Amino acid sequence: MVEALIQTLTQSYLYYLNRQSEFWGAVVDHLILAGIAIGIAVLVCVPLGIWTARSRFASLTLMNLVNGLRVIPSLAVLFLIIPYLGLTSTSAIVALTILAMPPVLINTDAAFRTLEPAILEAARGMGMSAFQRMIRVEFPLAVPVILTGIRISAVDVIASATLAAFVGSGGLGIYITRGFALYDYSILFVGAIPVALITLAVEGLLSLLQKTLQPLKI
Amino acid sequence: MSTIQFVNVSKQYPGASAPAVDNITLQVPEGSIAVLLGPSGCGKTTLLKMVNRLHQPTSGQIFLDGVDIQSIPVNQLRRNIGYVIQQVGLFPHLTIAKNIAVVPELLGWDRQRIRNRVDELLDLVHLPLDFRNRYPAQLSGGQQQRVGLARALAADPKVMLMDEPFGAIDAITRESLQDQLLELQRRLRKTILFVTHDVEEALKLADEIIVLDKGRLVQKDTPCNLLANPASDFVRQLLNTDDRIRQLSLVRVEMVMKPLHPAIQLSPLPQVPVGTDLKRVLSLMLSPAADTVLVTHEGKPIGCITFEELRKVGCLSN
Ligand SMILES: Nc1ncnc2c1ncn2[C@@H]1O[C@H](COP(=O)(O)OP(=O)(O)OP(=O)(O)O)[C@@H](O)[C@H]1O
Ligand SMILES: [Mg+2]
């Protein structure tokens, strides 16, 4: 059993050695796909989260929409999009972005909703404009909570970016689909193991960033 | 900007059955401490927050040194008013130095001037200079409130608004913060509007106490006059004046008098012989300019009594 596993892993390693340039290309594609999806999610959802934290209307509509979206699995989203956007990277990115958005939105909303009223009142009472309050007080206090949302998204998206291979957009998913097609676990591992490692690394990096931005437990 | 003047100020919150502040006209003279006193919900905070425009009056006008505050850009107004609240509201992600520097930074002071000012203020509120680089969470409640006070004083505003600043602090620390505020005030001469529902605190700090009830001004007077001549049963009960006067009548001057300060001007002060009770002293203090009463023995002054001694007698009985 253990012997078989070691043998498979050795084969995986040989497979990798024979196709190093393909492999590293796949890693880069994977990171780009995930990065674009997370980037778009942050750019869209942080402002939306600030809005939902302040507006009852936005909160009712957007939060319900997002909670609804969360129920649909990414694979299903991907297949729903393909008829419109075809077998393209765009389809993959749209599906991954939809996956990435809810945690960022929900955490941003929570971060701004739970800011301490006394702190906001002090900021106002001292004569900060709305913009100064946002830049100097509200946003810095919200960042650690927003980062948690981004971390959750990143983990989901990096794992799910393997789906991109279904629509021919590359990424480490190519080894997983290939491994399935050829009934060869050693090929499948060439995709699965790096995905797991990248996920752990990104999670670690973001935790570290969060700790440096939050010098004290507050 | 130093006298605060309210002219027919009312505030009606939407949906409330009665106004929170009801047609208040009053003046806080420059360099004095006026304490807003009254039961919970009587409108103290509402009245205070209209001065820095955190609340908007429904009607009436507020003037700072004769200038209608509505005519001053709101953030400029606020940067020129020190504001201290019960919950302190320090910025948890900023160091103590950065917290204190907020208003000077908003006003565009240069770095060196801000550095010097922060050191000066830490000194002023008796905090060690190495607190500069600490974060608020690393300070005790009393220390945090000192930083709150330093932050409000940072740009040397002439007017300070303080909403129960010592309300959440233990009794001993509160006493020491009150003493410090009085000591600061002797030097700085700010115009301070101070909210409390602690009668002892009001009697101790106030030059004048403004008693509010259900949004109305009930009485505005010096602590001494308020105790001696409460305007209504409400004031009588709020300050517990009957008990305090009874207490005073049981204590004789020699039991509480202070030694004479050599620099004191003896001639115009009222005198009482040893054996007089404090109720009599209170009545003498009602006349203006008699904040000190001399105690004499066989015609020679041997000690003196100020309102502080009278207040402590009432304080002990409670
Ligand atoms: N933002 C608000 N909206 C509506 N009503 C308010 C608001 N703030 C205060 N009130 C009401 O106005 C009245 C006066 O409130 P205010 O906070 O001024 O009282 P206070 O004297 O400061 O009381 P406390 O000693 O409890 O702080 C209360 O009845 C209160 O419920
Ligand atoms: Mg209040």
Side-chain angles (χ1 to χ4, degrees):
Chain A
M1 177 65 204
V2 176
E3 246 167 62
L5 184 64
I6 291 175
Q7 207 181 352
T8 313
L9 287 175
T10 314
Q11 278 171 17
S12 302
Y13 186 59
L14 290 175
Y15 189 87
Y16 154 75
L17 284 181
N18 284 328
R19 297 157 182 265
Q20 287 193 38
S21 68
E22 183 199 62
F23 173 81
W24 289 109
V27 169
V28 170
D29 286 349
H30 200 94
L31 289 176
I32 289 176
L33 279 172
I36 291 176
I38 295 164
I40 296 174
V42 169
L43 286 180
V44 173
C45 290
V46 170
L48 282 184
I50 295 173
W51 187 37
T52 57
R54 277 151 205 236
S55 144
R56 224 181 115 68
F57 166 78
S59 154
L60 280 177
T61 50
L62 274 172
M63 294 308 264
N64 283 332
L65 181 74
V66 160
N67 282 321
L69 277 182
R70 269 211 304 184
V71 181
I72 313 172
S74 309
L75 196 57
V77 173
L78 190 57
F79 289 137
L80 286 174
I81 295 168
I82 289 170
Y84 301 97
L85 298 174
L87 291 170
T88 58
S89 319
T90 316
S91 295
I93 288 170
V94 170
L96 291 174
T97 306
I98 289 175
L99 178 69
M101 286 189 354
V104 181
L105 180 63
I106 289 166
N107 277 49
T108 306
D109 177 80
F112 280 91
R113 210 177 272 279
T114 54
L115 290 173
E116 207 182 299
I119 294 175
L120 302 183
E121 190 188 297
R124 231 152 59 91
M126 294 168 81
M128 289 190 197
S129 66
F131 180 73
Q132 287 165 331
R133 291 199 299 273
M134 176 55 73
I135 298 297
R136 290 166 183 244
V137 179
E138 300 176 34
F139 197 71
L141 288 176
V143 159
V145 183
I146 298 175
L147 270 181
T148 305
I150 296 177
R151 222 173 67 200
I152 298 169
S153 285
V155 170
D156 278 359
V157 167
I158 291 168
S160 302
T162 47
L163 296 178
F166 284 112
V167 292
S169 312
L172 288 164
I174 58 174
Y175 298 110
I176 293 172
T177 46
R178 197 179 295 164
F180 268 124
L182 301 174
Y183 291 108
D184 185 340
Y185 281 109
S186 67
I187 302 178
L188 196 140
F189 281 158
V190 175
I193 292 173
V195 166
L197 292 178
I198 293 173
T199 307
L200 285 175
V202 167
E203 166 126 47
L205 277 178
L206 286 174
S207 306
L208 198 69
L209 180 63
Q210 205 174 352
K211 287 214 182 79
T212 42
L213 286 178
Q214 191 172 21
L216 281 170
K217 207 83 208 104
I218 45 180
Chain B
M1 289 215 322
S2 33
T3 47
I4 310 171
Q5 209 176 348
F6 296 85
V7 180
N8 299 80
V9 173
S10 295
K11 171 73 183 180
Q12 170 85 45
Y13 287 111
S17 56
V21 166
D22 194 356
N23 196 27
I24 285 195
T25 299
L26 66 86
Q27 190 164 335
V28 182
E30 175 170 353
S32 71
I33 302 182
V35 173
L36 293 169
L37 180 68
S40 188
C42 69
K44 307 181 291 293
T45 297
T46 303
L47 189 65
L48 181 96
K49 286 189 185 173
M50 286 192 280
V51 178
N52 61 0
R53 289 174 59 186
L54 288 172
H55 286 318
Q56 196 62 20
T58 322
S59 64
Q61 285 173 295
I62 299 170
F63 300 89
L64 289 183
D65 234 19
V67 180
D68 186 339
I69 59 168
Q70 296 298 331
S71 70
I72 306 169
V74 67
N75 287 324
Q76 187 189 325
L77 174 80
R78 289 174 183 164
R79 287 168 198 177
N80 285 298
I81 296 177
Y83 186 44
V84 188
I85 54 178
Q86 179 174 343
Q87 311 85 329
V88 195
L90 294 181
F91 304 124
H93 60 300
L94 300 181
T95 61
I96 300 308
K98 280 277 178 192
N99 264 286
I100 296 176
V102 167
V103 176
E105 273 176 8
L106 291 174
L107 293 172
W109 292 15
D110 66 57
R111 279 171 147 212
Q112 192 54 48
R113 185 171 171 212
I114 292 178
R115 271 194 73 83
N116 295 343
R117 183 64 180 153
V118 168
D119 289 348
E120 192 183 348
L121 284 160
L122 283 172
D123 203 45
L124 198 68
V125 298
H126 301 313
L127 287 174
L129 289 188
D130 58 15
F131 272 32
R132 290 181 126 271
N133 300 318
R134 290 213 197 175
Y135 286 87
Q138 296 170 302
L139 270 57
S140 73
Q143 291 167 337
Q144 288 184 21
Q145 194 52 278
R146 268 173 214 182
V147 176
L149 188 58
R151 179 174 73 169
L153 287 166
D156 204 15
K158 296 205 176 68
V159 174
M160 303 274 289
L161 305 175
M162 309 181 76
D163 193 351
E164 304 202 38
F166 312 139
I169 290 170
D170 68 272
I172 294 173
T173 314
R174 192 186 316 149
E175 285 268 332
S176 100
L177 285 168
Q178 289 164 352
D179 291 336
Q180 251 178 59
L181 179 66
L182 285 176
E183 174 211 318
L184 281 178
Q185 174 65 356
R186 268 191 290 277
R187 278 198 271 165
L188 304 176
R189 288 279 148 218
K190 306 290 182 193
T191 306
I192 300 178
L193 192 56
F194 188 108
V195 165
T196 186
H197 53 235
D198 174 352
V199 175
E200 293 312 323
E201 185 166 71
L203 291 173
K204 177 169 180 174
L205 298 178
D207 292 309
E208 278 196 304
I209 295 178
I210 297 156
V211 182
L212 297 184
D213 180 26
K214 301 194 189 86
R216 291 205 196 96
L217 193 159
V218 179
Q219 189 170 4
K220 175 176 186 285
D221 228 324
T222 62
C224 187
N225 282 345
L226 213 54
L227 285 186
N229 302 311
S232 65
D233 283 344
F234 174 81
V235 180
R236 200 186 298 274
Q237 276 162 23
L238 183 73
L239 284 108
N240 201 8
T241 53
D242 293 351
D243 276 356
R244 281 171 198 279
I245 303 286
R246 199 171 311 123
Q247 279 294 324
L248 289 178
S249 69
L250 297 176
V251 177
R252 289 190 305 277
V253 285
E254 62 271 24
M255 296 159 76
V256 296
M257 69 182 183
K258 292 190 298 191
L260 276 179
H261 195 278
I264 201 165
Q265 281 280 336
L266 301 181
S267 53
L269 297 176
Q271 303 186 344
V272 294
V274 164
T276 315
D277 69 50
L278 293 183
K279 189 177 166 189
R280 165 94 186 113
V281 175
L282 178 68
S283 67
L284 286 174
M285 281 182 185
L286 291 176
S287 72
D291 54 353
T292 304
V293 170
L294 292 177
V295 179
T296 58
H297 180 59
E298 294 172 348
K300 287 207 186 78
I302 56 164
C304 68
I305 292 183
T306 63
F307 184 68
E308 185 62 11
E309 279 72 51
L310 303 192
R311 187 186 66 76
K312 280 184 185 150
V313 169
C315 186
L316 291 179
S317 71
N318 285 340

